[in-house]
Amino acid sequence: MAAGGSGGRAGEQRPYELVVFGASGFTGQFVVEEVARAASSGELRGALRWAVAGRSRTKLQEVLEQAAERLGKAALGPEVGVLLCDVGDPGSLAAMARQTRLVLNCVGPYRFFGEPVVKACVENGASCIDISGEPQFLEGMYLKYNEKAAEKGVYVIGSCGFDSIPADMGVLYTRDKLKGTLTAVESFLNVKSGPEGACIHDGTWKSAVYGLADQDNLKKLRKKIGYAPVPVVGAKLKRRGFVFYSQEFKQYAIPFMGSDVSVVKRSQRYLHTQLQETPVQYGAYVNIGGLGSVVKLMIAGILFLLLVKFSFGRKLLTKYPEFFSAGRFTKKGPTQKQMDETSFTMTFFGEGYSEGQNPENGKPNVKICTQVKGPEPGYVATPIAMVQAALALLEDISYLPKQGGVYSPGAAFSKTKLIERLNSHGVEFSVISQPEV
């Protein structure tokens, strides 16, 4: 690995091990709290030197005070730095990147604000993690910066939040728990909320609006990258319809619209081409409930798809998120009570071939069911996933891919202790039913 960069704790000393950029944003404040929790828990080798970065010193100070209060402390202590930095000012981004081994980038939508941060990190020898669920941004960064990051020995790892760590690491966990060869997995997401319901901050809504409007460019981008096709091993996984009744959950389900499938596919391609592992086919779905929910969703979906095609439609959608999402997305984001009462379960149904069976012929003869469970996905599970990914990157350095580059979580972390770290922080991986032959 290149010197400097994100090398171990030896080598070139930078004042900070990690910096949270966009710390005073809606998601950023929760990430700060999670870093503060990790730093004060004493589970790390040595003290964690870290900083917050953003445009306003006052706001950053407020976020640090709030985090201290949430942790029941008077203050977070002088070892936490404050850096002034603006995504529109490349000089300030470069200065931030030079002072740390790792940037946790919380400034989205990433399609508009993500690249300057990746560029500054790669050019100045810092690794970078984000929580983007935008395939076009994630794969665009791979196309542009993979080789440069490899030269510098730094890691750029996208989608380290709820999109897409539970899915990506969940598939690897399922694979590792099956005695034999896992060849296909389907996941079903269930989000449970309390009496006050669940809602999401409108930053995510904006990403969805612009992402769907830009599907055609994603196809072009993938052509440019020229991915080698991932071979299908074992029985081909059937794609399900747009709405179907799930026997397992006794409710209707639809394909999950997030980045999970594209992220898992990138991980599987990497593990297959670089480590000669058997690639796993993957489908992602979300349970939506009874017929009433289906009808509501259909109406909202049709309206959304009509409006997203036109610029005035996109303006309407981004101006009135609450109206067009039936209250699911709001400019204020969820209340603390809503977050406390919300949780998610992702259930994985895997199939494959027992040891000694050749996946090239015959039907799959083993099944396995696993689960990833966690707290509210957007602002509780996401910061946990992001911070544990950061710690895996800083602490499990010898288990990362030998070469720097732009990676999906599964590709970067498949050999690290990330799943153990998540398990001990409330995002829990478990086997529900063992394979029966």
Side-chain angles (χ1 to χ4, degrees):
M1 186 153 70
S6 62
R9 288 180 181 236
E12 157 208 10
Q13 273 300 309
R14 297 185 169 217
Y16 305 110
E17 262 136 1
L18 68 84
V19 171
V20 180
F21 177 53
S24 53
F26 191 81
T27 310
Q29 58 186 346
F30 296 110
V31 173
V32 169
E33 198 180 303
E34 198 52 43
V35 174
R37 198 172 283 127
S40 66
S41 68
E43 63 196 79
L44 306 175
R45 295 193 300 255
L48 182 72
R49 301 161 314 171
W50 63 286
V52 290
R55 285 183 301 200
S56 150
R57 187 177 293 277
T58 322
K59 278 189 182 161
L60 293 169
Q61 294 290 3
E62 278 167 15
V63 165
L64 290 175
E65 282 160 25
Q66 192 184 324
E69 195 181 306
R70 292 284 299 255
L71 269 73
K73 297 179 156 200
L76 288 184
E79 73 280 2
V80 184
V82 174
L83 306 177
L84 289 185
C85 181
D86 186 335
V87 76
D89 172 5
S92 72
L93 292 176
M96 167 181 72
R98 278 196 292 274
Q99 294 183 66
T100 186
R101 287 173 55 199
L102 173 62
V103 171
L104 274 60
N105 181 14
C106 304
V107 181
Y110 292 92
R111 67 164 53 240
F112 300 132
F113 306 119
E115 184 174 350
V117 182
V118 172
K119 185 173 191 285
C121 286
V122 171
E123 285 173 357
N124 295 282
S127 289
C128 177
I129 279 182
D130 69 52
I131 44 179
S132 169
E134 305 160 55
Q136 199 177 338
F137 166 73
L138 298 163
E139 296 177 42
M141 293 306 94
Y142 172 79
L143 180 65
K144 272 186 147 164
Y145 295 100
N146 186 45
E147 281 168 22
K148 273 189 195 146
E151 277 164 33
K152 289 276 195 177
V154 300
Y155 299 90
V156 175
I157 308 170
S159 48
C160 286
F162 176 70
D163 310 71
S164 290
I165 277 185
D168 206 6
M169 300 311 289
V171 170
L172 297 183
Y173 176 82
T174 308
R175 177 198 73 178
D176 294 344
K177 292 296 177 195
L178 184 84
K179 290 179 178 57
T181 309
L182 183 74
T183 55
V185 181
E186 289 184 321
S187 69
F188 286 81
L189 170 64
N190 250 346
V191 177
K192 204 167 107 223
S193 52
E196 308 211 346
C199 86
I200 305 170
H201 187 257
D202 82 323
T204 304
W205 174 257
K206 282 187 186 129
S207 301
V209 170
Y210 294 113
L212 271 168
D214 215 9
Q215 282 300 66
D216 294 348
N217 282 327
L218 181 57
K219 291 192 184 105
K220 286 181 196 145
L221 174 69
R222 286 176 174 162
K223 266 213 177 85
K224 223 187 237 167
I225 295 173
Y227 289 126
V230 183
V232 171
V233 176
K236 192 168 166 40
L237 185 62
K238 285 203 249 318
R239 286 186 63 172
R240 308 214 188 202
F242 181 65
V243 176
F244 60 93
Y245 188 74
S246 150
Q247 287 302 337
E248 293 89 354
F249 297 97
K250 301 285 177 263
Q251 54 172 305
Y252 287 93
I254 60 168
F256 181 61
M257 300 300 269
S259 55
D260 287 359
V261 173
S262 66
V263 171
V264 169
K265 196 163 191 176
R266 284 172 56 216
S267 292
Q268 292 301 323
R269 178 182 287 112
Y270 171 83
L271 296 170
H272 174 65
T273 53
Q274 300 300 315
L275 306 180
Q276 285 67 59
E277 293 174 7
T278 305
V280 179
Q281 307 167 63
Y282 176 62
Y285 302 97
V286 55
N287 292 328
I288 54 171
L291 263 180
S293 310
V294 173
V295 173
K296 265 198 242 164
L297 194 84
M298 289 295 228
I299 294 168
I302 289 165
L303 191 61
F304 188 91
L305 291 173
L306 282 174
L307 288 172
V308 91
K309 287 192 166 42
F310 307 101
S311 70
F312 82 90
R314 292 194 287 277
K315 277 201 186 100
L316 279 176
L317 286 167
T318 50
K319 199 170 175 188
Y320 305 109
E322 231 165 311
F323 176 76
F324 287 106
S325 69
R328 279 293 166 85
F329 291 85
T330 68
K331 289 190 187 293
K332 284 199 291 286
T335 62
Q336 189 58 49
K337 191 164 166 24
Q338 281 178 317
M339 289 191 285
D340 293 343
E341 292 173 346
T342 304
S343 62
F344 80 88
T345 309
M346 206 176 238
T347 308
F348 297 82
F349 297 99
E351 61 175 35
Y353 296 77
S354 55
E355 283 162 326
Q357 281 289 109
N358 182 357
E360 294 307 317
N361 41 37
K363 280 199 165 86
N365 68 337
V366 281
K367 283 186 152 90
I368 183 171
C369 177
T370 63
Q371 229 170 34
V372 180
K373 284 174 119 126
E376 189 278 330
Y379 312 103
V380 187
T382 285
I384 292 170
M386 187 183 213
V387 172
Q388 293 310 316
L391 297 178
L393 204 151
L394 293 170
E395 303 245 321
D396 306 349
I397 196 115
S398 55
Y399 300 104
L400 294 171
K402 291 284 172 281
Q403 206 179 16
V406 177
Y407 289 98
S408 55
F413 297 122
S414 75
K415 305 281 183 261
T416 66
K417 301 190 178 77
L418 179 57
I419 288 177
E420 289 158 51
R421 292 175 185 282
L422 291 166
N423 266 333
S424 57
H425 286 84
V427 176
E428 293 161 19
F429 292 67
S430 61
V431 175
I432 301 298
S433 69
Q434 286 294 356
E436 317 94 50
V437 177

